[in-house]
Amino acid sequence: MSWDERIIGKRELSPYLAGEEGSDLGSLALALIEHQREHWPQLAEGYAGLQEIETKRVRVEESEAVIQHNPKRIRSTGAAIDKATVSGRPCFLCADNLPEEEKGIAYGDDLVILCNPFPVLDHHLSIVQREHIEQKIEGNVETLLDLARDFGPEFFALYNGPECGASAPDHLHFQVCSRDGLPIEEHVFDDEPQLAEDCSYCEETARNSFELFTLGGCGRSVVVFRGGNRSEMVRWVNEVLHELGQTTDGAEPLVNIVCVYDTRLWTVYLFPRAKHRPASFFAEGDQRLTVSPGAIDMAGVVVVPERAHFDKIDSELITGIFAEVSMNRDVLNELIDDMCSLPEAGEPLW
């Protein structure tokens, strides 16, 4: 089945739209989920499972993480992403290999919005490139920002690097989820003023606003970008990615990225990684923990498919896992400080 055959439009989704609203992308996506829950049994089963998950909150330095027992995520958490395995299996994000019932919404000419049949959070969506091209952030930061803006402030968009969280490293895709209760956001911008949509002063403030800093007290390395100028945001995210790339031999630096959009302002959380999985993932017996952090985990919702492992995980264990898989914070802080050293007046930034 081709992508054109899988695309459904507003007319087919109209019975699932709430009230008179529905022209915005977020509303269409919610309607898609309801349509697919009715027509695709696997998705209905996935959302039924989401209602049964258990969670607990644990302390991580000055912050908290939500530990989520989600048995249906075992396939993704334990996915083999080595080149031999990936090249030897059909790509599960290509149109021909999707379940017959799976339908989606077109996003531009190149991407399709699909429902994730194994949701971690409510309204969990995959945004998939129509062509089978590799997972990479180079040249795609703009798309991540646009997704966060177009879905609106009730959602967040994310990117998992091909070697640290993407279960389909051979096929370009992003994800979008409900933003409600995203731990990494708690208390970061508590006292920030709210910008209005129809306000020339707010528009000027957003256009000229930009912040770049590392976030402390959360047990892992995080670079935060915040601003209202899309070009400037893209420029700085790409510059940090370039600098991080100088520290690795891989095709791209090990990163997870989460992006949110409020009125006129984007906030990007970039998690530089030291490795994909902690040693406990490969351990035997009582030492084993099936925790394989991707962007959602690094943002503070840590998925644990095994019940015994969920029961075992405490503050000390999850703090150790975050520290093990994150880039050294002192090294990261030095890198960002060097980048943010202001040039003499009149000199270009680079």
Side-chain angles (χ1 to χ4, degrees):
M1 189 180 294
S2 69
W3 281 119
D4 288 341
E5 294 173 297
R6 292 189 180 277
I7 299 299
I8 58 177
K10 189 173 179 180
R11 177 178 296 181
E12 192 169 352
L13 292 175
S14 59
Y16 305 91
L17 291 168
E20 298 181 358
E21 300 179 358
S23 59
D24 63 286
L25 185 59
S27 296
L28 288 173
L30 295 181
L32 174 68
I33 293 172
E34 292 308 308
H35 173 281
Q36 289 285 269
R37 288 175 69 172
E38 184 175 316
H39 292 86
W40 182 18
Q42 186 181 22
L43 186 71
E45 183 182 339
Y47 271 87
L50 189 62
Q51 301 306 309
E52 298 174 1
I53 63 171
E54 294 182 60
T55 63
K56 63 182 180 181
R57 297 182 74 94
V58 300
R59 197 75 181 164
V60 181
E61 293 188 357
E62 299 169 20
S63 66
E64 287 187 323
V66 175
I67 313 301
Q68 181 192 98
H69 177 226
N70 191 336
K72 293 187 180 297
R73 290 295 296 184
I74 186 62
R75 178 179 174 183
S76 179
T77 299
I81 59 169
D82 60 280
K83 291 183 179 180
T85 300
V86 170
S87 62
R89 53 99 172 120
C91 176
F92 55 84
L93 293 182
C94 283
D96 288 342
N97 301 323
L98 297 177
E100 183 178 351
E101 305 94 333
E102 189 165 6
K103 307 288 184 179
I105 303 172
Y107 183 73
D109 295 329
D110 300 324
L111 298 169
V112 178
I113 300 168
L114 300 171
C115 299
N116 193 315
F118 306 106
V120 174
L121 300 171
D122 205 11
H123 309 146
H124 195 157
L125 301 152
S126 297
I127 294 78
V128 177
Q129 165 64 239
R130 296 191 190 210
E131 295 184 37
H132 184 73
I133 58 177
E134 65 182 340
Q135 179 83 340
K136 65 177 182 178
I137 193 58
E138 181 182 359
N140 292 306
V141 174
E142 295 92 338
T143 300
L144 187 64
L145 295 179
D146 291 346
L147 283 168
R149 179 197 61 205
D150 294 345
F151 270 89
E154 301 302 315
F155 296 85
F156 71 92
L158 69 87
Y159 169 84
N160 282 318
E163 297 180 351
C164 54
S167 52
D170 55 334
H171 196 126
L172 178 63
H173 65 286
F174 304 88
Q175 296 177 58
V176 168
C177 299
S178 172
R179 185 179 171 183
D180 185 42
L182 192 64
I184 195 65
E185 289 202 278
E186 295 172 359
H187 314 306
V188 177
F189 297 107
D190 275 349
D191 301 320
E192 291 293 311
Q194 296 297 309
L195 299 182
E197 192 68 59
D198 300 318
C199 167
S200 58
Y201 171 78
C202 296
E203 180 179 2
E204 184 70 17
T205 299
R207 186 184 306 115
N208 296 321
S209 171
F210 182 77
E211 296 176 86
L212 168 59
F213 57 92
T214 57
L215 188 62
C218 62
R220 61 266 200 208
S221 295
V222 191
V223 185
V224 181
F225 310 75
R226 196 186 197 212
N229 185 313
R230 179 177 178 272
S231 297
E232 183 133 9
M233 289 288 289
V234 171
R235 177 190 186 190
W236 277 101
V237 172
N238 279 328
E239 183 68 12
V240 171
L241 288 168
H242 173 76
E243 291 300 316
L244 290 171
Q246 305 305 303
T247 67
T248 179
D249 295 329
E252 74 173 32
L254 302 181
V255 292
N256 306 110
I257 308 176
V258 164
C259 181
V260 299
Y261 183 80
D262 294 295
T263 305
R264 300 190 180 280
L265 288 173
W266 284 276
T267 305
V268 171
Y269 301 90
L270 187 151
F271 302 89
R273 301 285 294 274
K275 60 165 137 177
H276 176 202
R277 287 164 169 159
S280 57
F281 182 88
F282 306 99
E284 300 290 340
D286 292 341
Q287 300 303 310
R288 178 168 167 77
L289 292 173
T290 51
V291 175
S292 180
I296 292 176
D297 307 80
M298 299 302 287
V301 180
V302 180
V303 178
V304 186
E306 302 284 353
R307 175 67 203 214
H309 300 176
F310 169 80
D311 291 339
K312 183 191 299 185
I313 287 179
D314 57 14
S315 176
E316 181 179 358
L317 282 173
I318 201 61
T319 299
I321 287 174
F322 277 152
E324 184 181 352
V325 302
S326 294
M327 182 179 183
N328 180 278
R329 278 184 278 181
D330 291 337
V331 173
L332 177 64
N333 288 337
E334 183 177 352
L335 182 148
I336 297 301
D337 286 345
D338 289 344
M339 287 184 60
C340 293
S341 297
L342 294 176
E344 295 295 327
E347 290 185 8
L349 287 172
W350 52 77

